[in-house]
Amino acid sequence: VTIPVSAGETAIGSAPLKQVDFTASGGSLNTYMITSGGRYVYRLNGSAEWVVIRDLGVGAAATDIHVHGGRIGIAYNTGFQHSADASSWTTDTTDADRFATLGANLWRAIRPNSVYSATAFNGTWSSAYSVSDSTSNINSLVGVEQMLVIGKEDGVYTLDAEGTVVPLSPELRGQINAAFASLAASATFNGDYYFRTLNGVVQISAQDGMKHRVGLDQLASPDLPTVVVQALCSDDRYLYALCANTGANLVILRRSIGGAWHPFYMDYTAGTKRGQHIAVSSALGYPALFFSYFDGSSTYTTRYIRLSTHHNALRDTSYTF
């Protein structure tokens, strides 16, 4: 199902970057989306259309959206804003590029290589932890089990109990690339951490820190295009991978807890469809997989696929077989 922008609202003018679900105080669950470098924050209305609920201001460029402690926060190039009801917003001029939650703590990253912790968006921030050197940027922050996982252009890092930086993928330092562990392509699934490399996806176990290639770079089928991941997300059953492409073939793969990848959605219709973001949301009253693509010219399209409510889809009365 295609999700249009509501009549009279500002069109989506840059690539959808990240989408999160949030229950506003005094309200109900809804889903919120930012675009890459965009000044507008979008939310679904009752007609399943996007409406602008926040204008960050002229020159603002959104970099992350995150939920912590009953508040939603949006990072952008000159600070961040946060709100409990998605209506009344507090502006903080403290720099922020990425957010993550680990336990009760909120973590904030400033590119290229600094991270800080606090107990809330409006809490007192710790002194900086410097992660590797400043020649490569932090791309993402993710809290996994007891680890803060920091994805950088030169690999993946964490902090030990004393705050010492520990490299989890030192072999990647020789091939610095902006695609490593990008914001859209780093995710947790079944207690483990997954991140995009140049040509595939690597899994890092939260239990022992062991790394595993998870097979996307090994897929070899004439039915599939070259598999390079643009974005990742997960629910309680599957890890989903939206594949990047420059042509007309839009592909979403999913990986089960058992470790097997399967094609989930394939669009071979005419027209360029370059994958952008992917997210699972329950804002429609049932689980749905949201995704977006770009026509290579000027139009960004967002859509959703209704997911089965039951683990056995045959038991879901919303489906016909």
Side-chain angles (χ1 to χ4, degrees), residues 97-173:
D97 291 303
R98 301 289 189 269
F99 289 119
T101 294
L102 181 63
N105 286 337
L106 175 69
W107 287 81
R108 170 176 61 94
I110 300 177
R111 302 177 84 180
N113 66 326
S114 299
V115 296
Y116 308 78
S117 68
T119 57
F121 282 110
N122 57 353
T124 300
W125 294 97
S126 70
S127 56
Y129 298 88
S130 295
V131 183
S132 186
D133 55 53
S134 60
T135 59
S136 58
N137 283 318
I138 291 174
N139 282 336
S140 59
L141 289 179
V142 178
V144 188
E145 299 291 342
Q146 305 304 311
M147 294 195 305
L148 177 71
V149 182
I150 306 155
K152 293 193 64 184
E153 293 173 337
D154 64 345
V156 177
Y157 299 81
T158 189
L159 300 174
D160 67 14
E162 284 73 42
T164 302
V165 176
V166 179
L168 297 178
S169 60
E171 67 276 10
L172 294 180
R173 290 215 65 191

Coordinates of all heavy atoms in Angstrom, one line a residue, residues 97-173:
D97 N 24.4 14.1 16.9 CA 24.3 13.5 15.6 C 23.5 12.1 15.6 O 22.8 11.8 14.7 CB 25.6 13.3 14.9 CG 26.3 14.6 14.6 OD1 25.7 15.4 13.8 OD2 27.4 14.9 15.0
R98 N 23.7 11.4 16.7 CA 23.1 10.1 16.8 C 22.7 9.8 18.3 O 23.3 10.4 19.2 CB 24.1 8.9 16.4 CG 24.6 9.0 15.0 CD 23.5 8.7 14.0 NE 24.1 8.6 12.6 CZ 24.2 9.6 11.8 NH1 23.7 10.8 12.1 NH2 24.7 9.4 10.5
F99 N 21.7 9.0 18.5 CA 21.2 8.6 19.8 C 21.1 7.1 19.9 O 21.0 6.4 18.9 CB 19.8 9.2 20.1 CG 19.8 10.7 20.3 CD1 19.0 11.5 19.5 CD2 20.5 11.3 21.4 CE1 19.0 12.9 19.7 CE2 20.4 12.7 21.6 CZ 19.7 13.5 20.7
A100 N 21.2 6.6 21.2 CA 21.0 5.2 21.4 C 20.5 5.1 22.9 O 20.8 5.9 23.7 CB 22.2 4.4 21.2
T101 N 19.8 4.0 23.2 CA 19.5 3.6 24.6 C 20.2 2.3 25.0 O 20.2 1.4 24.2 CB 17.9 3.4 24.7 OG1 17.3 4.7 24.4 CG2 17.6 2.9 26.1
L102 N 20.8 2.4 26.2 CA 21.4 1.2 26.7 C 21.0 1.1 28.2 O 21.4 2.0 29.0 CB 22.9 1.2 26.6 CG 23.6 0.0 27.2 CD1 23.2 -1.3 26.5 CD2 25.1 0.2 27.2
G103 N 20.1 0.2 28.6 CA 19.6 0.1 29.9 C 18.7 1.3 30.2 O 17.9 1.7 29.4
A104 N 19.0 2.0 31.3 CA 18.3 3.2 31.6 C 18.9 4.5 31.0 O 18.3 5.6 31.1 CB 18.2 3.4 33.1
N105 N 20.1 4.3 30.4 CA 20.8 5.5 29.9 C 20.6 5.8 28.5 O 20.4 4.9 27.6 CB 22.3 5.3 30.1 CG 22.7 5.4 31.6 OD1 22.0 6.0 32.4 ND2 23.8 4.8 31.9
L106 N 20.6 7.1 28.2 CA 20.6 7.6 26.8 C 22.0 8.0 26.4 O 22.8 8.6 27.2 CB 19.7 8.9 26.8 CG 19.6 9.6 25.4 CD1 18.9 8.8 24.4 CD2 19.0 11.0 25.6
W107 N 22.4 7.6 25.2 CA 23.7 7.9 24.7 C 23.6 8.9 23.5 O 22.6 8.8 22.7 CB 24.5 6.7 24.3 CG 25.0 5.9 25.5 CD1 24.3 5.0 26.2 CD2 26.3 6.0 26.0 NE1 25.1 4.5 27.2 CE2 26.3 5.1 27.1 CE3 27.5 6.7 25.7 CZ2 27.4 4.9 27.9 CZ3 28.6 6.5 26.5 CH2 28.6 5.6 27.6
R108 N 24.5 9.8 23.4 CA 24.5 10.8 22.3 C 25.9 10.8 21.6 O 26.9 10.7 22.3 CB 24.2 12.2 22.9 CG 24.4 13.3 22.0 CD 24.0 14.6 22.7 NE 24.8 14.9 23.9 CZ 25.9 15.7 24.0 NH1 26.3 16.2 22.9 NH2 26.5 15.9 25.1
A109 N 25.9 10.9 20.3 CA 27.2 10.9 19.6 C 27.3 12.2 18.9 O 26.3 12.8 18.3 CB 27.3 9.8 18.6
I110 N 28.5 12.8 18.9 CA 28.9 13.9 18.0 C 29.9 13.5 17.1 O 31.0 12.9 17.5 CB 29.4 15.1 18.9 CG1 28.3 15.6 19.9 CG2 29.8 16.3 18.0 CD1 28.8 16.7 20.8
R111 N 29.7 13.6 15.8 CA 30.7 13.2 14.8 C 31.9 14.2 14.9 O 31.6 15.4 15.1 CB 30.1 13.2 13.4 CG 28.9 12.2 13.4 CD 28.2 12.2 12.0 NE 28.9 11.3 11.1 CZ 28.6 11.1 9.9 NH1 27.5 11.7 9.4 NH2 29.2 10.3 9.1
P112 N 33.1 13.8 14.7 CA 33.4 12.5 14.2 C 33.5 11.3 15.2 O 33.2 10.2 14.8 CB 34.8 12.7 13.6 CG 35.4 13.7 14.4 CD 34.3 14.7 14.8
N113 N 33.9 11.5 16.5 CA 34.2 10.4 17.3 C 34.0 10.5 18.8 O 34.6 9.9 19.6 CB 35.7 10.0 17.1 CG 36.7 11.0 17.6 OD1 36.4 12.2 17.6 ND2 37.8 10.5 18.1
S114 N 33.0 11.3 19.2 CA 32.7 11.5 20.6 C 31.3 11.0 21.0 O 30.4 11.2 20.3 CB 32.8 13.0 21.0 OG 34.1 13.5 20.7
V115 N 31.3 10.3 22.2 CA 30.0 9.9 22.7 C 29.8 10.3 24.2 O 30.8 10.4 24.9 CB 29.8 8.3 22.6 CG1 29.8 7.9 21.1 CG2 30.9 7.6 23.3
Y116 N 28.6 10.5 24.6 CA 28.3 11.0 25.9 C 27.1 10.2 26.4 O 26.3 9.7 25.7 CB 27.9 12.4 25.9 CG 28.9 13.3 25.3 CD1 29.0 13.4 23.9 CD2 29.8 14.1 26.0 CE1 29.9 14.3 23.3 CE2 30.7 15.0 25.4 CZ 30.8 15.0 24.0 OH 31.7 15.9 23.4
S117 N 26.9 10.1 27.8 CA 25.7 9.4 28.3 C 25.0 10.4 29.3 O 25.6 11.3 29.9 CB 26.1 8.1 29.0 OG 26.8 8.4 30.2
A118 N 23.7 10.1 29.4 CA 22.8 10.8 30.4 C 21.7 9.9 30.7 O 21.5 8.9 30.1 CB 22.4 12.2 29.8
T119 N 20.9 10.3 31.7 CA 19.7 9.5 32.1 C 18.4 10.0 31.3 O 17.4 9.3 31.4 CB 19.4 9.6 33.6 OG1 19.2 11.0 33.9 CG2 20.6 9.0 34.3
A120 N 18.5 11.1 30.6 CA 17.3 11.6 29.9 C 17.8 12.6 28.9 O 18.9 13.1 28.9 CB 16.3 12.2 30.8
F121 N 16.9 13.0 27.9 CA 17.2 14.0 26.9 C 17.6 15.3 27.6 O 18.4 16.1 27.2 CB 16.0 14.2 26.0 CG 15.9 13.2 24.9 CD1 14.8 12.3 25.0 CD2 16.8 13.1 23.9 CE1 14.7 11.3 24.0 CE2 16.7 12.2 22.9 CZ 15.6 11.2 22.9
N122 N 16.9 15.6 28.8 CA 17.2 16.8 29.5 C 18.1 16.6 30.7 O 18.1 17.4 31.6 CB 15.9 17.5 29.9 CG 15.0 16.6 30.7 OD1 15.3 15.5 30.9 ND2 13.9 17.2 31.2
G123 N 18.8 15.5 30.7 CA 19.7 15.2 31.8 C 21.0 15.8 31.7 O 21.3 16.6 30.8
T124 N 21.9 15.5 32.7 CA 23.3 16.0 32.7 C 24.2 15.0 32.0 O 24.2 13.8 32.3 CB 23.8 16.2 34.1 OG1 22.9 17.1 34.8 CG2 25.2 16.7 34.1
W125 N 24.9 15.5 30.9 CA 25.7 14.6 30.1 C 27.0 14.4 30.7 O 27.6 15.3 31.3 CB 25.8 15.2 28.7 CG 24.5 15.3 28.0 CD1 23.7 16.4 27.8 CD2 23.9 14.2 27.3 NE1 22.6 16.1 27.1 CE2 22.7 14.7 26.7 CE3 24.2 12.9 27.0 CZ2 21.8 14.0 26.0 CZ3 23.4 12.1 26.3 CH2 22.2 12.6 25.7
S126 N 27.5 13.2 30.5 CA 28.9 12.8 31.0 C 29.9 13.5 30.2 O 29.6 14.2 29.2 CB 29.1 11.3 30.9 OG 29.2 10.9 29.5
S127 N 31.2 13.4 30.6 CA 32.3 13.9 29.8 C 32.4 12.9 28.6 O 31.9 11.8 28.5 CB 33.6 13.9 30.6 OG 33.8 12.6 31.1
A128 N 33.1 13.4 27.6 CA 33.2 12.7 26.3 C 34.1 11.4 26.4 O 35.1 11.4 27.1 CB 33.7 13.6 25.2
Y129 N 33.6 10.4 25.7 CA 34.5 9.2 25.4 C 34.9 9.4 23.9 O 34.0 9.5 23.1 CB 33.7 7.9 25.6 CG 33.2 7.7 27.0 CD1 32.0 8.1 27.4 CD2 33.9 6.9 27.8 CE1 31.5 7.9 28.7 CE2 33.5 6.6 29.1 CZ 32.2 7.1 29.5 OH 31.8 6.9 30.8
S130 N 36.2 9.3 23.7 CA 36.7 9.4 22.3 C 36.8 8.0 21.7 O 37.5 7.2 22.3 CB 38.0 10.2 22.2 OG 37.9 11.5 22.7
V131 N 36.1 7.8 20.6 CA 36.1 6.5 20.0 C 37.0 6.4 18.8 O 36.7 7.1 17.8 CB 34.7 6.1 19.6 CG1 34.6 4.7 19.0 CG2 33.7 6.2 20.8
S132 N 38.1 5.7 18.9 CA 39.1 5.7 17.8 C 39.5 7.1 17.5 O 39.5 8.0 18.3 CB 38.5 4.9 16.6 OG 39.5 4.8 15.6
D133 N 40.0 7.3 16.2 CA 40.5 8.7 15.9 C 39.5 9.5 15.2 O 38.4 9.0 14.8 CB 41.8 8.6 15.1 CG 41.6 7.7 13.9 OD1 40.7 8.0 13.1 OD2 42.4 6.8 13.7
S134 N 39.8 10.7 14.9 CA 38.8 11.7 14.3 C 38.8 11.7 12.8 O 38.2 12.5 12.2 CB 39.1 13.1 14.9 OG 40.4 13.5 14.5
T135 N 39.6 10.7 12.2 CA 39.6 10.7 10.8 C 38.4 10.0 10.2 O 38.2 10.0 8.9 CB 40.9 10.0 10.3 OG1 41.0 8.7 10.8 CG2 42.1 10.8 10.7
S136 N 37.6 9.3 11.0 CA 36.4 8.6 10.5 C 35.3 8.9 11.4 O 35.4 9.0 12.6 CB 36.6 7.1 10.4 OG 37.0 6.6 11.7
N137 N 34.1 9.1 10.8 CA 32.9 9.5 11.5 C 32.1 8.4 12.2 O 32.2 7.2 11.7 CB 31.9 10.2 10.6 CG 32.3 11.6 10.2 OD1 32.8 12.4 11.1 ND2 32.2 12.0 9.0
I138 N 31.4 8.7 13.3 CA 30.4 7.8 13.9 C 29.2 7.8 13.0 O 28.7 8.8 12.6 CB 30.1 8.2 15.3 CG1 31.2 8.0 16.2 CG2 28.8 7.4 15.8 CD1 31.0 8.5 17.6
N139 N 28.8 6.6 12.5 CA 27.6 6.5 11.7 C 26.4 6.1 12.4 O 25.3 6.5 12.1 CB 27.9 5.4 10.6 CG 28.7 5.9 9.4 OD1 28.7 7.1 9.2 ND2 29.4 5.1 8.7
S140 N 26.5 5.3 13.5 CA 25.4 4.8 14.2 C 25.7 4.4 15.7 O 26.9 4.1 16.0 CB 24.8 3.6 13.5 OG 25.7 2.5 13.4
L141 N 24.7 4.4 16.5 CA 24.8 4.0 17.9 C 23.7 3.0 18.1 O 22.5 3.3 17.8 CB 24.7 5.1 18.9 CG 25.8 6.1 19.1 CD1 25.4 7.1 20.1 CD2 27.1 5.5 19.5
V142 N 24.0 1.8 18.8 CA 22.9 0.8 19.1 C 23.3 0.2 20.4 O 24.4 -0.2 20.7 CB 22.9 -0.3 18.0 CG1 21.8 -1.3 18.4 CG2 22.6 0.3 16.6
G143 N 22.2 0.1 21.3 CA 22.4 -0.6 22.5 C 22.0 -2.1 22.3 O 20.8 -2.3 21.9
V144 N 22.9 -3.0 22.6 CA 22.6 -4.4 22.4 C 23.0 -5.2 23.7 O 24.1 -5.2 24.1 CB 23.5 -5.0 21.3 CG1 23.1 -6.4 21.0 CG2 23.4 -4.1 20.0
E145 N 21.9 -5.8 24.3 CA 22.2 -6.4 25.6 C 22.9 -5.5 26.6 O 22.3 -4.5 27.0 CB 22.9 -7.7 25.4 CG 22.2 -8.7 24.5 CD 21.0 -9.3 25.1 OE1 20.8 -9.3 26.4 OE2 20.1 -9.8 24.4
Q146 N 24.1 -5.8 26.9 CA 24.9 -5.0 27.9 C 25.9 -4.1 27.2 O 26.8 -3.5 27.8 CB 25.6 -5.8 28.9 CG 24.7 -6.8 29.7 CD 23.5 -6.0 30.4 OE1 23.7 -5.0 31.0 NE2 22.3 -6.5 30.2
M147 N 25.9 -4.1 25.8 CA 26.9 -3.3 25.1 C 26.3 -2.1 24.4 O 25.3 -2.2 23.8 CB 27.6 -4.3 24.0 CG 28.3 -5.4 24.5 SD 29.4 -6.1 23.2 CE 28.2 -6.5 21.9
L148 N 27.1 -1.0 24.4 CA 26.9 0.1 23.5 C 27.7 -0.2 22.2 O 28.9 -0.2 22.3 CB 27.3 1.4 24.1 CG 27.1 2.6 23.2 CD1 25.6 2.9 22.9 CD2 27.8 3.8 23.7
V149 N 27.1 -0.4 21.1 CA 27.8 -0.7 19.9 C 27.9 0.6 19.1 O 26.9 1.2 18.8 CB 27.2 -1.8 19.1 CG1 28.0 -2.1 17.8 CG2 27.0 -3.1 19.9
I150 N 29.1 1.0 18.7 CA 29.3 2.3 18.0 C 29.9 1.9 16.6 O 30.9 1.4 16.4 CB 30.4 3.1 18.8 CG1 29.9 3.3 20.2 CG2 30.6 4.4 18.1 CD1 31.1 3.6 21.2
G151 N 29.0 2.2 15.6 CA 29.4 2.0 14.2 C 30.1 3.2 13.6 O 29.5 4.3 13.6
K152 N 31.3 3.0 13.2 CA 32.1 4.1 12.5 C 32.5 3.7 11.1 O 32.3 2.6 10.7 CB 33.3 4.4 13.3 CG 33.1 4.9 14.7 CD 34.4 5.5 15.3 CE 35.0 6.6 14.5 NZ 36.3 7.1 15.0
E153 N 32.9 4.7 10.4 CA 33.4 4.4 9.0 C 34.6 3.5 8.9 O 34.8 3.0 7.9 CB 33.7 5.8 8.3 CG 32.5 6.7 8.1 CD 32.8 8.1 7.6 OE1 34.0 8.5 7.9 OE2 32.0 8.7 7.1
D154 N 35.3 3.3 10.1 CA 36.4 2.4 10.1 C 36.2 1.2 10.9 O 37.1 0.4 11.2 CB 37.7 3.1 10.6 CG 37.5 3.6 12.0 OD1 36.4 3.6 12.6 OD2 38.6 3.9 12.7
G155 N 34.9 0.9 11.1 CA 34.6 -0.4 11.8 C 33.6 -0.2 13.0 O 33.1 0.9 13.2
V156 N 33.5 -1.2 13.8 CA 32.6 -1.2 14.9 C 33.3 -1.3 16.3 O 34.3 -2.1 16.4 CB 31.6 -2.4 14.8 CG1 30.7 -2.5 16.0 CG2 30.8 -2.2 13.5
Y157 N 32.9 -0.5 17.3 CA 33.5 -0.4 18.6 C 32.5 -0.6 19.7 O 31.3 -0.5 19.5 CB 34.3 0.9 18.7 CG 35.3 1.2 17.7 CD1 35.0 1.6 16.4 CD2 36.7 1.0 18.0 CE1 35.9 1.9 15.4 CE2 37.7 1.2 17.0 CZ 37.3 1.7 15.7 OH 38.2 1.9 14.8
T158 N 33.0 -0.8 20.9 CA 32.2 -0.7 22.1 C 33.0 -0.2 23.2 O 34.2 0.1 23.1 CB 31.6 -2.1 22.5 OG1 30.7 -2.0 23.5 CG2 32.8 -3.1 23.0
L159 N 32.4 0.1 24.4 CA 33.1 0.5 25.6 C 33.0 -0.5 26.6 O 31.9 -1.1 26.9 CB 32.4 1.8 26.1 CG 32.4 3.0 25.2 CD1 31.6 4.2 25.8 CD2 33.8 3.5 24.9
D160 N 34.1 -0.8 27.3 CA 34.1 -1.8 28.4 C 33.6 -1.1 29.7 O 33.3 0.1 29.7 CB 35.4 -2.5 28.6 CG 36.5 -1.6 29.1 OD1 36.3 -0.5 29.5 OD2 37.7 -2.0 29.0
A161 N 33.6 -1.8 30.8 CA 33.1 -1.3 32.1 C 33.9 -0.1 32.6 O 33.3 0.7 33.4 CB 33.1 -2.4 33.1
E162 N 35.1 0.0 32.2 CA 35.9 1.2 32.6 C 35.9 2.3 31.6 O 36.6 3.3 31.8 CB 37.4 0.7 32.8 CG 37.7 0.0 34.1 CD 37.1 -1.5 34.0 OE1 37.3 -2.1 32.9 OE2 36.5 -1.9 35.0
G163 N 35.1 2.2 30.5 CA 35.0 3.2 29.5 C 36.1 3.1 28.5 O 36.3 4.1 27.7
T164 N 36.9 2.1 28.5 CA 37.9 1.9 27.5 C 37.3 1.4 26.2 O 36.4 0.6 26.1 CB 38.9 0.8 27.9 OG1 39.5 1.2 29.2 CG2 40.0 0.7 26.9
V165 N 37.7 2.0 25.1 CA 37.2 1.7 23.8 C 37.8 0.4 23.3 O 39.0 0.2 23.3 CB 37.6 2.8 22.7 CG1 37.1 2.4 21.4 CG2 36.9 4.1 23.2
V166 N 36.9 -0.5 22.9 CA 37.3 -1.9 22.4 C 36.9 -2.0 21.0 O 35.7 -1.9 20.6 CB 36.6 -3.0 23.3 CG1 37.1 -4.3 22.8 CG2 37.0 -2.8 24.7
P167 N 37.8 -2.2 20.0 CA 37.4 -2.5 18.6 C 36.9 -3.9 18.4 O 37.4 -4.8 18.9 CB 38.8 -2.3 17.9 CG 39.8 -2.7 18.9 CD 39.3 -2.2 20.2
L168 N 35.7 -4.0 17.8 CA 35.1 -5.3 17.5 C 35.4 -5.8 16.1 O 35.1 -6.9 15.8 CB 33.6 -5.2 17.7 CG 33.1 -4.8 19.1 CD1 31.6 -4.7 19.2 CD2 33.6 -5.9 20.1
S169 N 35.9 -4.9 15.2 CA 36.1 -5.3 13.8 C 37.4 -4.6 13.4 O 37.4 -3.8 12.4 CB 35.0 -4.9 12.9 OG 34.7 -3.5 13.0
P170 N 38.6 -4.9 14.0 CA 39.8 -4.2 13.6 C 40.2 -4.4 12.2 O 40.9 -3.6 11.6 CB 40.8 -4.8 14.6 CG 40.3 -6.1 15.1 CD 38.8 -5.8 15.1
E171 N 39.7 -5.5 11.6 CA 40.1 -5.8 10.2 C 39.5 -4.8 9.2 O 40.0 -4.8 8.0 CB 39.6 -7.3 9.8 CG 38.1 -7.5 9.8 CD 37.5 -7.7 11.1 OE1 38.2 -7.6 12.2 OE2 36.3 -8.1 11.1
L172 N 38.5 -4.1 9.6 CA 37.9 -3.1 8.7 C 38.6 -1.8 8.6 O 38.3 -0.9 7.8 CB 36.4 -2.9 9.1 CG 35.5 -4.1 9.0 CD1 34.1 -3.7 9.4 CD2 35.5 -4.6 7.5
R173 N 39.5 -1.5 9.5 CA 40.2 -0.2 9.6 C 41.0 0.1 8.3 O 41.2 1.3 8.0 CB 41.1 -0.1 10.8 CG 40.4 -0.1 12.1 CD 41.1 0.8 13.1 NE 41.1 2.2 12.7 CZ 41.8 3.1 13.3 NH1 42.6 2.8 14.3 NH2 41.8 4.4 12.9

